[in-house]
Every structure is written in structure tokens, then in C-alpha cells.
Amino acid sequence: MAISLSKGQKVDLTKSNPGLTKVVVGLGWDTNKYDGGKDFDLDASIFCVNAAGKVNSEADFIFYNNRKNANGSIVHNGDNRTGAGDGDDEQVSVDLANIPAETEKIAFCITIHEADVRSQNFGQVSNAYVRILNEGSGAELIRYDLGEDFSIETGVVIGELYRHSGEWKFSAIGSGYKDGLGGLARDYGLQTS
């Protein structure tokens, strides 16, 4: 049975699931009905950060145009441009046993593509969540439903996998950014134009 988290909660992943090395991180969302006249395109982005909370290089920023990290231990499984349908809108495969040693945290984010141009924000998004599945069995292990706490934000750090005493844990973050992907990239140490 999956553990359901609230914002700020942390839970052990590998210690309570001995032998677990491969997981799938599913991210999903719906958009509220609105009359802006433009389609929504939400995107999952992943930042692999070191102990200082920064990426070591652009290869540690994984998204629809850079679908895996340098050693292939984290793979973005494709861009969903509409969010239509039930279930996960985008998924990321993570091989925990092969994550590079310098990667201390893996931050999972959802951003709205061209939010400024389209006048869109997370106030128009509902049912956003992140969940972690056992890749082998498909069983849902952890789930965090974001809630409706946002209005002007165009990007959200929804959760983080992180190392602690040789084990992997998950933290439900739910932290919004009003300057979307650009703000996230700057905070994680990438140069933005």
C-alpha cells in the first residue's frame, strides 16, 4: 500500500523496501477550464544536484530535450504536450543503484511551458501529483498530491529523492516559483539567458 505524504513530510524509500533499485517517478496534472484560448503544456524537469544544492553541469538537468543524465541512470520517458487522459502525464525512470556518487538529491519539478506568453499559472492547474512506483512490480510506493495552494506560480518543485546514510529517501516539497523554469534553473546553478 502506498504511503501518502503531506507537504514537508519525508519518508524512507530503500530502507523500507529492501532490494529496491529501480523506480519510476510519475508526475500528473489536470488543467482547470478557463477561457484563455491557449493550450496548456506542462513539463517535468529533473535537477540532479550535489551537496551544495547545485548541478555539476548541464547534463544534470533532465527534461524533454535532454532525456537522460550522463550515465543513463535517470531517464525522462517523453514529453506529454496536452496532459490529456488519466494516469501519469510524464514519467522518469530512476536506477537508484547507479546514480553518480556526487548526486545527493534529485529534484522533480513541473513547469508551465511559455507561461508568460500564454498568461498561465498553477492557479489554473489541479490534481498535480508525484508518485514513486517499483519499476519491477508496478506497485505504487509513495504518493504526494500537491493541492491547490498556488496562484501566480509557473513552476513547482514537487518532490526530491535524496541520499541519507546510504539509503534513498523522498521529501514532499511543494515549493512554487513565480518565474518558472528560469527561476528553478538559476537556483540550481544553471546559467540562463
Side-chain angles (χ1 to χ4, degrees):
M1 187 168 133
I3 297 171
S4 185
L5 299 180
S6 299
K7 181 176 179 170
Q9 283 188 304
K10 297 176 181 176
V11 67
D12 171 61
L13 178 62
T14 54
K15 195 173 183 181
S16 57
N17 295 285
L20 180 70
T21 58
K22 293 186 177 182
V23 296
V24 173
V25 178
L27 299 116
W29 51 79
D30 293 319
T31 54
N32 299 330
K33 299 289 181 218
Y34 82 114
D35 58 6
K38 296 188 172 78
D39 292 337
F40 264 88
D41 180 10
L42 277 72
D43 296 309
S45 301
I46 302 94
F47 294 89
C48 303
V49 299
N50 57 29
K54 306 292 183 195
V55 296
N56 287 322
S57 73
E58 286 188 11
D60 290 331
F61 169 44
I62 301 148
F63 65 111
Y64 60 84
N65 267 346
N66 179 41
R67 295 203 14 208
K68 61 184 176 181
N69 65 339
N71 77 346
S73 57
I74 301 171
V75 179
H76 188 300
N77 295 328
D79 186 18
N80 177 336
R81 293 177 177 241
T82 65
D86 292 331
D88 299 339
D89 290 303
E90 295 186 12
Q91 290 187 328
V92 180
S93 297
V94 181
D95 181 353
L96 296 168
N98 289 308
I99 301 294
E102 65 272 9
T103 299
E104 291 286 322
K105 281 184 190 171
I106 306 164
F108 296 90
C109 309
I110 301 174
T111 59
I112 301 173
H113 184 68
E114 296 182 341
D116 292 344
V117 174
R118 299 177 185 190
S119 298
Q120 297 171 344
N121 59 56
F122 269 88
Q124 299 156 325
V125 175
S126 59
N127 304 319
Y129 67 86
V130 60
R131 66 188 190 129
I132 298 179
L133 311 165
N134 179 323
E135 184 181 275
S137 69
E140 183 176 288
L141 305 173
I142 299 170
R143 182 181 184 97
Y144 168 48
D145 292 298
L146 192 58
E148 313 285 321
D149 300 334
F150 302 99
S151 57
I152 61 169
E153 293 82 359
T154 59
V156 175
V157 178
I158 194 162
E160 293 175 339
L161 280 170
Y162 66 98
R163 292 185 207 258
H164 181 74
S165 301
E167 300 285 351
W168 284 97
K169 295 186 171 216
F170 181 79
S171 178
I173 304 293
S175 178
Y177 279 70
K178 67 177 185 257
D179 48 355
L181 187 57
L184 287 162
R186 279 190 303 279
D187 279 9
Y188 286 120
L190 287 173
Q191 300 298 319
T192 58
S193 51

